[in-house]
Amino acid sequence: MAFMRLSLAHCTSGDLRASTGLTGPHMQYLVGQLWELASDTGLGRPWSLPFADRTLLVVLAYRTNLAMQQLGSLFGISHAAAHRVMTRLAAPLAELLGPAPAERRELWVVDATLIPVHDRQRTAKSKNYRRSVNVQIVCRARDRRVVAVKNAWPGNRNDIVVFRKTLAETLPDHPRLSGDGGYRSCARIRTPRRGPDGRLITDRTYRRFRKRRAIAKHTIARLKEHQILRRCRRRGNAINHAVAGVAALHNLKIDIR
């Protein structure tokens, strides 16, 4: 029985949305953006797939977390060729997230999430009883657009420790940065108020903080629709590229509606 190779040219918009979460216009825009950052030079070993299909392979890998052997079978290439595609395009896709905007009127919300990763050199056993990494994510409250992410730390580190060593060093000072009680020792982040006894003051302000925290949790849940953020099997800097790349794909769907 003949097997038809997966190709972007033969995928309908409905098929793309079901498998990658992106529509046809999203994919075409993404292909153009990646081509500007990592166009083919014509040197070295020729690629087995067109550039558009290589972009589709990376997006599908992040969405489904298939193994390289499975991705190679879908696209009619070897698992080594699929791995080369991931290695080539993962970093440029992460660069599409860009720096944090210099806006001061928007409300930003910061929160952390744990991601199980197989690379034991980057992980530690955390409160989810798995070897995970701690990733800090800042989103914009108005439309849940991801503002900034930073490199992952071992999962047994407290949120405030990871924030000070990662985002605090690069994120511009923002007067409306909000977070939960885990960040109460950081002067840059607004957290719920506490009384003299250390207990939370559950007033109207606290209810606003709860809504902001829900926004951050919903944004993280949207990011984790990409299965690569539920169990990353790749090693080295792949988890950092995956988080930033998934955030860039998430912002793409917000910018192009």
Side-chain angles (χ1 to χ4, degrees):
M1 183 177 64
F3 178 75
M4 181 175 293
R5 189 184 75 179
L6 187 61
S7 174
L8 182 59
H10 297 97
C11 289
T12 64
S13 185
D15 294 336
L16 286 174
R17 183 182 290 274
S19 58
T20 65
L22 302 178
T23 61
H26 291 154
M27 284 298 304
Q28 295 299 329
Y29 182 80
L30 180 61
V31 170
Q33 291 291 100
L34 282 180
W35 180 261
E36 294 180 1
L37 294 177
S39 60
D40 294 341
T41 60
L43 303 176
R45 183 184 303 180
W47 294 99
S48 303
L49 295 175
F51 188 82
D53 291 348
R54 281 178 267 153
T55 303
L56 177 61
L57 186 149
V58 175
V59 176
L60 188 64
Y62 283 173
R63 187 74 173 184
T64 62
N65 200 22
L66 293 175
M68 293 298 118
Q69 187 70 46
Q70 296 168 315
L71 290 170
S73 299
L74 285 175
F75 287 88
I77 59 178
S78 65
H79 72 279
H83 187 272
R84 287 195 296 271
V85 172
M86 289 294 299
T87 303
R88 170 62 173 165
L89 293 182
L93 179 57
E95 292 179 15
L96 292 181
L97 180 61
E103 55 186 3
R104 301 181 62 85
R105 291 182 297 178
E106 295 283 354
L107 174 63
W108 292 356
V109 187
V110 60
D111 203 355
T113 185
L114 295 174
I115 301 175
V117 177
H118 285 200
D119 189 354
R120 287 177 171 259
Q121 295 182 352
R122 291 182 171 269
T123 61
K125 281 195 175 182
S126 50
K127 60 184 179 182
N128 62 358
Y129 303 104
R130 303 178 65 180
R131 299 194 68 90
S132 307
V133 294
N134 184 313
V135 177
Q136 302 287 310
I137 297 174
V138 179
C139 65
R140 190 166 62 189
R142 174 168 55 87
D143 53 4
R144 299 177 184 174
R145 193 180 195 277
V146 177
V147 173
V149 298
K150 205 58 180 175
N151 291 346
W153 272 48
N156 61 349
R157 305 296 197 274
N158 291 332
D159 293 346
I160 183 60
V161 174
V162 181
F163 178 83
R164 284 174 174 167
K165 295 296 184 181
T166 56
L167 283 174
E169 297 179 354
T170 58
L171 194 68
D173 289 334
H174 192 69
R176 303 190 65 195
L177 180 59
S178 178
D180 58 21
Y183 300 94
R184 59 180 175 173
S185 60
C186 182
R188 296 181 55 182
I189 302 176
R190 294 181 180 180
T191 57
R193 295 185 302 166
R194 294 176 181 267
D197 57 353
R199 295 184 178 181
L200 290 172
I201 301 176
T202 56
D203 55 0
R204 179 184 297 180
T205 304
Y206 175 69
R207 289 193 289 271
R208 288 200 297 265
F209 273 103
R210 290 184 61 183
K211 291 181 180 179
R212 296 170 187 174
R213 185 183 183 190
I215 291 173
K217 294 298 183 184
H218 292 165
T219 302
I220 292 174
R222 293 287 181 87
L223 296 179
K224 286 195 171 183
E225 290 177 357
H226 295 76
Q227 298 301 311
I228 190 70
L229 301 188
R230 294 188 178 271
R231 190 182 67 166
C232 181
R233 294 186 295 265
R234 304 187 69 208
R235 298 181 180 275
N237 207 34
I239 181 59
N240 297 325
H241 290 159
V243 173
V246 169
L249 295 176
H250 171 79
N251 291 348
L252 176 64
K253 291 188 289 186
I254 294 175
D255 296 339
I256 303 177
R257 292 179 176 176

